[in-house]
Amino acid sequence: MTRVAAIDCGTNSIRLLVADLPAAGGDAPLVDVVRRMEIVRLGQGVDRTGRLAPEAIERTRVALASYAAQIRELGATRVRMCATSATRDAANAGDFRAMVVETLGVEPEVVSGDEEARLSFTGAVRGLAAEPPYLVVDIGGGSTEFVVGESTVEGAISVDIGCVRMTERHLHSDPPTPAEVAAATGDITAAVDRALAAVPGREARTLVGLAGSVTTVAAIALGLSEYNPSRIHHAVVSYDAVAKVTGDLLAMTTAQRLEIPVMHPGRADVIVAGALVLRVIMERAGMPAVVASEHDILDGIAWSIQPTP
């Protein structure tokens, strides 16, 4: 076994996975040592300003310093950190890179949308007992990745309809007004149709949904009294259930969403946009259900640093 550390730094959250991987070429699953997630909102204002806010970089530094200490404590021998949508877009990405090198001791890799899609697909479908081909959608803070394939990626595209970006662009009232929801829905629908024209998503047999927006919607639909990854992982949620949860969230204020037992405090203000993205994808792709997955790009990053034979 090789102990590795994977870090996924997105627009809304930064996550850590320390895991033991089987020997190169082995088929055994990875073994979690620790998984952590912090909401740092690195992409705060990027859609409007084109720059990472200094306070957002500082929030990320604090979380990353804690991760670095745990990586050292647990003895991970290989570390890979991938940064996604927010740092692809930012004019001052160099400030972020310098902070990461100083704090973690490794270079952050600002991955392309295609690489992000490949990593997400690998993490999501490995060990998945569902009928291929798969349409894997990773709804992030700044972007959403669409990936189609069976055992390998056959097509992928990244579009800028993440939950933070859509909230900052359209959903300014609390709760959002019908006009704001209509504007967001129109923006999302156009992007989803463009994505589904670029990759054969409508030909897939199984829709797999990744990241916090999807797993939170699934947890609400399941009626969980607390966030339970083992109950959420590979849960099948119908379109009707997703539509109901989305409608309920749209009618609530942020304060009311915070009272939902499974709601992470850092997600309550952007979950409406994330749920809207999921609902529109299901509608436009003609998917009657979504399989929620707790395994995603983080697992793909971990597998990518497995030693070669």
Side-chain angles (χ1 to χ4, degrees):
M1 303 289 280
T2 301
R3 181 158 291 183
V4 302
I7 298 173
D8 168 38
C9 186
T11 302
N12 196 43
S13 65
I14 183 169
R15 300 181 300 145
L16 167 69
L17 169 62
V18 178
D20 290 330
L21 297 184
D27 293 329
L30 61 77
V31 178
D32 286 15
V33 178
V34 67
R35 284 182 190 257
R36 293 179 57 185
M37 187 271 287
E38 300 288 341
I39 300 286
V40 294
R41 197 64 59 86
L42 178 62
Q44 169 194 331
V46 164
D47 189 57
R48 176 176 53 83
T49 67
R51 301 180 63 83
L52 298 170
E55 61 270 27
I57 294 177
E58 174 59 16
R59 289 193 300 267
T60 306
R61 185 199 66 78
V62 170
L64 191 59
S66 177
Y67 288 179
Q70 190 159 31
I71 290 167
R72 290 191 297 269
E73 177 187 342
L74 294 173
T77 57
R78 293 168 177 256
V79 180
R80 185 182 185 191
M81 176 176 173
C82 292
T84 53
S85 179
T87 46
R88 280 201 302 268
D89 299 342
N92 60 336
D95 295 342
F96 171 78
R97 175 196 161 278
M99 178 277 290
V100 171
V101 171
E102 181 178 352
T103 306
L104 186 64
V106 302
E107 290 268 358
E109 300 177 45
V110 182
V111 297
S112 67
D114 285 347
E115 172 71 354
E116 187 175 351
R118 187 186 66 79
L119 292 169
S120 294
F121 186 84
T122 299
V125 306
R126 194 160 185 151
L128 176 63
E131 186 177 5
Y134 309 111
L135 169 59
V136 175
V137 293
D138 186 345
I139 302 173
S143 63
T144 293
E145 282 64 55
F146 292 70
V147 198
V148 176
E150 295 197 21
S151 58
T152 59
V153 173
E154 297 171 10
I157 187 172
S158 177
V159 291
D160 287 342
I161 50 168
C163 61
V164 174
R165 193 185 299 270
M166 290 297 96
T167 300
E168 292 185 349
R169 187 178 293 176
H170 297 294
L171 305 179
H172 305 132
S173 303
D174 191 24
T177 67
E180 290 171 350
V181 174
T185 302
D187 201 356
I188 293 165
T189 300
V192 170
D193 285 349
R194 186 167 68 253
L196 293 174
V199 300
R202 293 186 176 94
E203 299 173 15
R205 301 300 298 271
T206 300
L207 174 65
V208 184
L210 314 184
S213 290
V214 175
T215 58
T216 301
V217 168
I220 296 169
L222 292 169
L224 301 185
S225 59
E226 61 181 6
Y227 194 93
N228 184 338
S230 65
R231 290 280 307 279
I232 297 165
H233 187 51
H234 290 175
V236 179
V237 184
S238 70
Y239 168 78
D240 287 344
V242 170
K244 182 182 186 308
V245 170
T246 302
D248 291 345
L249 292 170
L250 280 166
M252 295 179 183
T253 63
T254 300
Q256 289 169 328
R257 291 181 218 121
L258 282 167
E259 295 177 1
I260 299 172
V262 298
M263 186 67 64
H264 189 288
R267 204 175 298 285
D269 59 335
V270 297
I271 186 61
V272 168
L276 273 174
V277 171
L278 177 60
R279 190 191 74 186
V280 171
I281 289 170
M282 296 180 76
E283 290 169 352
R284 306 305 288 179
M287 290 292 181
V290 59
V291 178
S293 179
E294 288 280 348
H295 292 179
D296 51 28
I297 189 173
L298 198 57
D299 301 73
I301 294 168
W303 283 113
S304 75
I305 48 181
Q306 185 182 45
T308 55

